[in-house]
Amino acid sequence: QVQLVESGGASVQAGGSLRLSCAASGYTASSLGWFRQAPGKEREGVAAIDRYGSTRYADSVKGRFTISKDNAKSTLYLQMNSLKPEDTGMYFCAATKPWVRSTLDVVAFSYWGQGTQVTVSS
């Protein structure tokens, strides 16, 4: 079973940058993703990457966020640049069951970390 632990969340001003990390295990054949959830809103997919490195991004973060993984370190990353107040939320890393292609659909992900808070002030 996949296990994931996020870190790196913080409070920053608009225009700033953060890098989130997710220590993962048991994910080799899985797709991985980052999701976020603001208070009172549904959880939404931010970025995803499959076992071969193919990526997907939500339109709202294209050009600003980059998802990557380091298999040797068993770590997933989300580099976030040019942060906006609307990026505020709890960020979760997640993994699909093995052999599922990368997707931003929350229902495709079976394993979840505990979340890390990102707050962007204007």
Side-chain angles (χ1 to χ4, degrees):
Q1 187 176 60
V2 175
Q3 295 185 336
L4 310 112
V5 181
E6 306 95 330
S7 62
S11 295
V12 299
Q13 293 186 343
S17 297
L18 284 173
R19 188 177 76 162
L20 305 183
S21 299
C22 175
S25 62
Y27 71 93
T28 303
S30 300
S31 290
L32 302 170
W34 287 98
F35 295 78
R36 66 188 181 191
Q37 187 167 23
K41 295 186 177 181
E42 297 292 326
R43 189 170 299 185
E44 64 173 344
V46 175
I49 186 168
D50 70 11
R51 64 170 302 194
Y52 302 109
S54 180
T55 59
R56 297 174 182 267
Y57 295 94
D59 288 342
S60 61
V61 307
K62 287 181 179 177
R64 299 188 298 120
F65 291 11
T66 302
I67 187 171
S68 63
K69 60 180 179 178
D70 186 335
N71 290 334
K73 296 182 178 180
S74 297
T75 303
L76 176 72
Y77 302 99
L78 184 68
Q79 179 66 47
M80 304 186 293
N81 299 324
S82 301
L83 283 162
K84 304 175 180 179
E86 52 262 45
D87 294 319
T88 293
M90 185 71 72
Y91 282 69
F92 301 87
C93 62
T96 68
K97 293 181 178 179
W99 309 110
V100 176
R101 297 177 64 84
S102 65
T103 175
L104 296 178
D105 189 349
V106 65
V107 303
F109 289 79
S110 299
Y111 309 100
W112 296 85
Q114 82 286 355
T116 186
Q117 180 67 36
V118 173
T119 302
V120 184
S121 60
S122 61

